Amino acid sequence: MAARVEIDEDNETNKGSMWVLDQKLDQPMDEEAGRLRNMYREKKFSSLLLLRFAFQSLGVVYGDLGTSPLYVFYNTFPHGIDDPEDIIGALSLIIYSLTLIPLLKYVFIVCRANDSGQGGTFALYSLLCRHAKVITIPNQHRTDEELTTYSRSTFHEKSFAAKTKRWLEHQTFRKNALLMLVLVGTCMVIGDGILTPAISVLSASGGIKVDHPHMSNGVVVLVAVVILVGLFSLQHYGTDRVGWLFAPIVLLWFLLIGGIGMLNIWKYDSSVLKAFSPVYIYRYFRRGGRDGWTSLGGIMLSITGTEALFADLAHFPVSAIQIAFTVVVFPCLLLAYSGQAAYLMNHQDHVVDAFYRSIPDSIYWPVFIVATAAAIVASQATISATFSIIKQALALGCFPRVKVVHTSKKFLGQIYIPDINWILMILCIAVTAGFKNQSQIGNAYGTAVVIVMLATTLLMTLIMILVWRCHWILVLIFTALSLVVECTYFSAVLFKVDQGGWVPLVIAAAFLVIMYVWHYGTVKRYEFEMHSKVSMAWILGLGPSLGLVRVPGIGLVYTELASGVPHIFSHFITNLPAIHSVVVFVCVKYLPVYTVPEEERFLVKRIGPKNFHMFRCVARYGYKDLHKKDENFEKKLFDSLFLFVRLEAMMEGCSDSDEYSLYGQQTLQSTDGLLNNNGNSTSSNQDLTMSSVDSIVPVKSPLHVNSTVMSSSQMSSHTETDELEFLNSCRDAGVVHILGNTVVRASRGSKFYKKIAIDYIYAFLRKICRENSVIFNVPHESLLNVGQIFYV
């Protein structure tokens, strides 16, 4: 006798596969032995997979952090070394900086604050938006909280978390301040995307001059520029195609710098290991005074790349990141810096090229090649992080619409943004050719990194309170320790603002103005839509024909509103004598989640009586989802619409009373609530513009005409078939996409800065950004733009 057990497996590693297990029941089996054997196999497999992820993470996550030994000591002592004891003090600072910031803070604490595996400042912001009502665009609906990816926790009313939540939600100023903090952090990450390739490639190229001391610095800069042009020109291929090279290169790099460091410690001066005692930090500051304090700007470069580590978190489990850092990255970096310090103890005048001069002559050129390759990988990591965080900002209405290209079929997060790529390349080349040396670029780099870290610390404080619900003492300890270390570094880089530190501030200020003005215009445009939306009483007053000729076809009216009838519709029908037989209001909105599952993407609702043939469809996306040129979007929208009609008819057919003929009544969950295309009825939260009318206006259904002849199930089936045939015929007649072209202008009495922001900056951004018709992939022959102007 045999039993056949079928298990459907629907996970990331084996989509849609089926496991079949035949078990002979007449043969006894040692269940305990079988269970232990299966547990062993599972554990072995997961361990091997974790090690593989840890290996792959080296190439994606740790390239930037790993190339810091190329330039740290030179930027710490740009004017030379006065006392050998300073080398020990600087090494001690590097050791404890690596321990406190990348190891303890980021790898073991901040990385745990990911949004379902997504990292970066906007991932932290999306977590906060789900746990507190701090999002500045009020387009959220109660049904959004029922998404499977919309994870949130609740807390007691009198708890510290609840008090913090109320304090944060109480004033609009606090919400805007939180958004500004996120935008500042984002702009500094963009600055990292410019400065990391510049300093990494320029430092790696500097190895040529060590072997050829008479070569001019201009040749080194030219080589760096050529490498940068090649790097940015290859971005459109995506990291998936060349990513298999990254991990071996970075692993080889770490093994090389770790091995060279061990050799130099043994060969030159093993006494540098006493730098593990923090006493030498105190002696360093006491001896160096202000110069010792400002040298922290150079020490700061030893921990650059930690923010990119968090931003590039998406493709690897946190445990793999932790294994890679503790087993490979951390010990190799400590050996590399200790080896350079040992070499400098005997060659203090070589501090400018400390890394390359400490390499044994027999392996100099192989190490130079690997160093250049590692610098390119490090640059790739920060460029990818920049693309990722701009995509998140774009989804949350904080960046102008730009073209986003999905470069990988395997990984959702691997994207390419052409416009941003070329802007980064131009700015990166300008920084490299303008400064021509590592010192000033290093000053700029340190400024950008420390500001990002400060922003992350403040966001993490709120995460620990609202999401993790930690005790306030733990929150205070984390915040205080982080701020003490990071504010110390920040005070040091302030002394170097005039020596190159102004660069990231200028770049960040430019991007901040762009992002804030765009967000301000987006919010104002949404508020205009909300305040000027048409009441349902007006629609009902027009009658089934809407007071116009109903021509065959389907009109898709795109709107930013998830509820109510938009002003663009009334503007359209008062200027044209006809409207389509079927009208669907389409709202595409992004939610503070990393992704929305396909089966939960579309929500459909009927507006008004059946004979109006008006519907609303809300398409929901997460900040990682790509609303690309998708010919299936229209098909999926109509599939959801047809499914809604079927479910509506089925639910009517199951009723024994007449109350389902009154559309808008609370008893009718299928029409008053929103249905997702998985067939599940969600919250019956009514539109504000409809609730006062729909619930009191009875609409005679065609069902009543033949109610004495047909049963309820026959009537619902008959009605469903008629409406589906009607929808299909209208679809075959043609689909027209109606988009609003809203022009925003500052009112006459506005302040001069508001006029500059709206009439010039926002207008310019609207002019150069991508059109909505391109994003929605609307054919030109089916596009109808409706213009309107509003003043803010």
Side-chain angles (χ1 to χ4, degrees):
M1 179 181 177
R4 187 173 181 84
V5 182
E6 296 184 352
I7 304 172
D8 288 329
E9 189 73 0
D10 187 16
N11 55 33
E12 291 183 359
T13 57
N14 199 3
K15 288 279 185 186
S17 63
M18 182 174 286
W19 290 358
V20 180
L21 175 65
D22 285 315
Q23 180 184 335
K24 301 293 183 181
L25 296 182
D26 52 354
Q27 295 180 358
M29 177 181 178
D30 187 349
E31 294 183 1
E32 184 65 20
R35 187 177 64 83
L36 291 173
R37 185 161 57 249
N38 290 335
M39 284 177 61
Y40 171 74
R41 287 177 179 172
E42 185 179 352
K43 185 176 180 181
K44 183 179 179 182
F45 173 75
S46 62
S47 298
L48 289 174
L49 186 63
L50 200 60
L51 289 175
R52 194 184 98 186
F53 279 140
F55 169 69
Q56 291 176 333
S57 71
L58 289 172
V60 177
V61 174
Y62 292 114
D64 189 7
L65 193 64
T67 52
S68 295
L70 287 168
Y71 44 77
V72 168
F73 275 107
Y74 169 54
N75 283 276
T76 304
F77 303 108
H79 306 298
I81 300 170
D82 298 326
D83 191 333
E85 285 291 311
D86 289 344
I87 300 172
I88 306 295
L91 177 60
S92 187
L93 279 166
I94 291 170
I95 290 170
Y96 283 98
S97 296
L98 283 170
T99 305
L100 292 173
I101 303 296
L103 180 65
L104 295 180
K105 180 186 172 184
Y106 275 86
V107 173
F108 286 103
I109 298 178
V110 175
C111 283
R112 288 184 59 240
N114 59 81
D115 183 16
S116 301
Q118 312 300 316
T121 51
F122 267 102
L124 297 179
Y125 183 60
S126 71
L127 273 175
L128 292 174
C129 287
R130 295 206 299 271
H131 288 79
K133 295 177 182 178
V134 294
I135 195 162
T136 51
I137 301 179
N139 65 342
Q140 306 305 303
H141 195 275
R142 191 188 306 172
T143 54
D144 299 335
E145 299 177 10
E146 298 177 10
L147 286 170
T148 53
T149 52
Y150 201 101
S151 57
R152 57 182 299 180
S153 57
T154 56
F155 25 76
H156 194 271
E157 268 190 37
K158 295 183 178 179
S159 64
F160 182 61
K163 293 176 182 176
T164 306
K165 177 177 178 290
R166 287 193 295 269
W167 177 83
L168 204 57
E169 296 172 348
H170 184 62
Q171 290 185 357
T172 306
F173 169 76
R174 291 165 189 163
K175 298 178 185 179
N176 289 331
L178 180 63
L179 178 66
M180 283 296 293
L181 178 66
V182 173
L183 293 183
V184 167
T186 302
C187 293
M188 288 300 171
V189 171
I190 297 172
D192 282 355
I194 297 166
L195 296 169
T196 298
I199 192 169
S200 299
V201 173
L202 186 61
S203 300
S205 304
I208 303 174
K209 197 174 179 182
V210 174
D211 197 62
H212 300 80
H214 299 294
M215 183 181 292
S216 68
N217 194 50
V219 176
V220 176
V221 173
L222 182 62
V223 171
V225 169
V226 169
I227 294 173
L228 289 171
V229 171
L231 171 66
F232 283 99
S233 299
L234 294 174
Q235 289 300 312
H236 68 279
Y237 290 109
T239 55
D240 188 38
R241 300 190 183 183
V242 292
W244 58 275
L245 275 174
F246 287 179
I249 288 173
V250 177
L251 179 60
L252 179 60
W253 167 253
F254 277 118
L255 294 177
L256 278 173
I257 63 175
I260 293 170
M262 290 178 65
L263 177 65
N264 287 338
I265 293 169
W266 172 76
K267 183 178 178 181
Y268 294 107
D269 193 345
S270 60
S271 67
V272 294
L273 296 179
K274 61 187 179 182
F276 281 87
S277 170
V279 173
Y280 290 91
I281 296 176
Y282 168 73
R283 294 182 181 177
Y284 179 76
F285 287 130
R286 188 182 66 179
R287 186 173 50 254
R290 176 175 171 173
D291 290 338
W293 192 265
T294 55
S295 69
L296 284 174
I299 304 292
M300 177 75 202
L301 299 180
S302 64
I303 56 176
T304 54
T306 49
E307 195 61 37
L309 175 157
F310 182 46
D312 280 327
L313 193 64
H315 308 308
F316 306 103
V318 174
S319 52
I321 301 284
Q322 294 170 343
I323 289 171
F325 189 83
T326 52
V327 174
V328 178
V329 179
F330 188 62
C332 288
L333 285 176
L334 293 184
L335 288 171
Y337 287 117
S338 299
Q340 283 189 51
Y343 176 82
L344 289 173
M345 292 292 284
N346 293 340
H347 304 85
Q348 297 175 30
D349 55 332
H350 290 172
V351 69
V352 175
D353 304 305
F355 174 79
Y356 281 113
R357 289 187 180 275
S358 65
I359 300 172
D361 294 337
S362 57
I363 59 169
Y364 179 83
W365 286 109
V367 173
F368 171 76
I369 293 171
V370 176
T372 306
I376 292 172
V377 172
S379 304
Q380 178 66 54
T382 53
I383 294 168
S384 300
T386 304
F387 290 159
S388 177
I389 206 162
I390 285 178
K391 170 65 174 66
Q392 294 176 21
L394 175 67
L396 294 175
C398 296
F399 204 85
R401 296 184 296 270
V402 290
K403 183 179 182 181
V404 179
V405 180
H406 209 180
T407 60
S408 173
K409 294 180 179 179
K410 299 177 184 177
F411 302 109
L412 185 67
Q414 291 191 3
I415 57 174
Y416 166 66
I417 305 178
D419 301 333
I420 300 299
N421 183 64
W422 303 125
I423 290 172
L424 291 180
M425 186 188 79
I426 292 169
L427 293 174
C428 191
I429 291 173
V431 169
T432 306
F435 286 134
K436 298 180 182 179
N437 68 78
Q438 305 167 27
S439 180
Q440 288 187 318
I441 300 177
N443 295 338
Y445 196 15
T447 305
V449 169
V450 72
I451 293 176
V452 175
M453 289 181 176
L454 284 169
T456 301
T457 297
L458 297 175
L459 290 172
M460 275 300 301
T461 302
L462 293 174
I463 291 289
M464 293 177 76
I465 296 171
L466 297 176
V467 182
W468 292 353
R469 288 176 288 175
C470 297
H471 195 278
W472 67 269
I473 295 178
L474 291 176
V475 178
L476 184 63
I477 291 172
F478 170 81
T479 308
L481 288 176
S482 299
L483 289 179
V484 164
V485 176
E486 289 158 9
C487 286
T488 302
Y489 280 121
F490 184 65
S491 65
V493 298
L494 286 178
F495 287 105
K496 298 191 175 183
V497 169
D498 61 336
Q499 302 171 30
W502 56 270
V503 172
L505 299 178
V506 171
I507 294 171
F511 276 98
L512 185 62
V513 168
I514 290 171
M515 294 171 78
Y516 188 78
V517 168
W518 183 264
H519 181 74
Y520 178 80
T522 302
V523 171
K524 289 299 179 184
R525 198 170 66 245
Y526 183 81
E527 289 177 352
F528 168 76
E529 294 267 4
M530 282 290 293
H531 294 147
S532 60
K533 62 184 179 181
V534 181
S535 68
M536 197 61 204
W538 185 78
I539 294 291
L540 291 171
L542 295 176
S545 68
L546 300 181
L548 302 166
V549 178
R550 300 295 292 265
V551 297
I554 297 180
L556 299 181
V557 182
Y558 289 85
T559 173
E560 295 183 9
L561 295 179
S563 63
V565 178
H567 181 261
I568 178 183
F569 182 69
S570 65
H571 189 63
F572 174 75
I573 63 177
T574 52
N575 285 277
L576 289 176
I579 190 65
H580 300 89
S581 300
V582 177
V583 177
V584 182
F585 297 103
V586 181
C587 171
V588 177
K589 70 174 183 177
Y590 286 86
L591 304 178
V593 295
Y594 76 102
T595 186
V596 175
E598 280 289 339
E599 64 273 11
E600 299 178 65
R601 177 146 295 160
F602 293 92
L603 295 177
V604 180
K605 179 177 182 177
R606 187 184 294 277
I607 298 179
K610 269 191 175 181
N611 53 359
F612 277 32
H613 301 299
M614 295 174 67
F615 302 88
R616 179 188 324 287
C617 181
V618 181
R620 305 176 295 181
Y621 291 85
Y623 56 79
K624 277 289 183 181
D625 291 329
L626 198 65
H627 188 72
K628 56 184 177 179
K629 287 189 175 182
D630 187 4
E631 290 77 10
N632 291 327
F633 176 78
E634 188 178 303
K635 178 181 178 298
K636 291 174 183 175
L637 188 151
F638 286 123
D639 287 346
S640 302
L641 182 61
F642 294 157
L643 178 60
F644 169 82
V645 172
R646 293 191 191 99
L647 291 173
E648 184 185 49
M650 286 170 58
M651 296 178 77
E652 286 179 357
C654 295
S655 175
D656 294 329
S657 66
D658 292 337
E659 58 191 5
Y660 282 93
S661 64
L662 304 181
Y663 289 92
Q665 292 287 350
Q666 294 291 338
T667 51
L668 181 54
Q669 298 295 325
S670 65
T671 54
D672 184 56
L674 292 165
L675 279 100
N676 59 34
N677 61 346
N678 202 22
N680 298 321
S681 177
T682 57
S683 173
S684 59
N685 188 26
Q686 292 180 312
D687 288 349
L688 295 176
T689 54
M690 297 175 60
S691 59
S692 61
V693 177
D694 288 5
S695 59
I696 60 173
V697 178
V699 181
K700 292 295 182 182
S701 171
L703 302 177
H704 292 252
V705 179
N706 299 315
S707 58
T708 58
V709 182
M710 296 191 296
S711 67
S712 60
S713 61
Q714 288 174 326
M715 288 188 293
S716 63
S717 176
H718 177 73
T719 308
E720 172 200 341
T721 305
D722 288 348
E723 186 161 21
L724 288 176
E725 287 178 357
F726 178 73
L727 290 174
N728 272 314
S729 65
C730 290
R731 184 181 181 184
D732 293 338
V735 179
V736 175
H737 302 258
I738 304 169
L739 273 72
N741 187 12
T742 306
V743 177
V744 186
R745 289 181 182 170
S747 56
R748 289 185 178 180
S750 300
K751 304 283 186 180
F752 75 94
Y753 55 82
K754 187 176 181 180
K755 289 183 178 179
I756 293 173
I758 296 298
D759 292 344
Y760 295 96
I761 301 176
Y762 185 75
F764 175 73
L765 293 175
R766 280 292 301 269
K767 187 176 181 179
I768 65 172
C769 76
R770 301 191 87 204
E771 294 289 340
N772 269 325
S773 58
V774 178
I775 295 174
F776 296 140
N777 194 32
V778 177
H780 285 290
E781 61 273 13
S782 303
L783 174 64
L784 187 61
N785 268 315
V786 180
Q788 54 185 353
I789 300 176
F790 80 93
Y791 295 88
V792 296

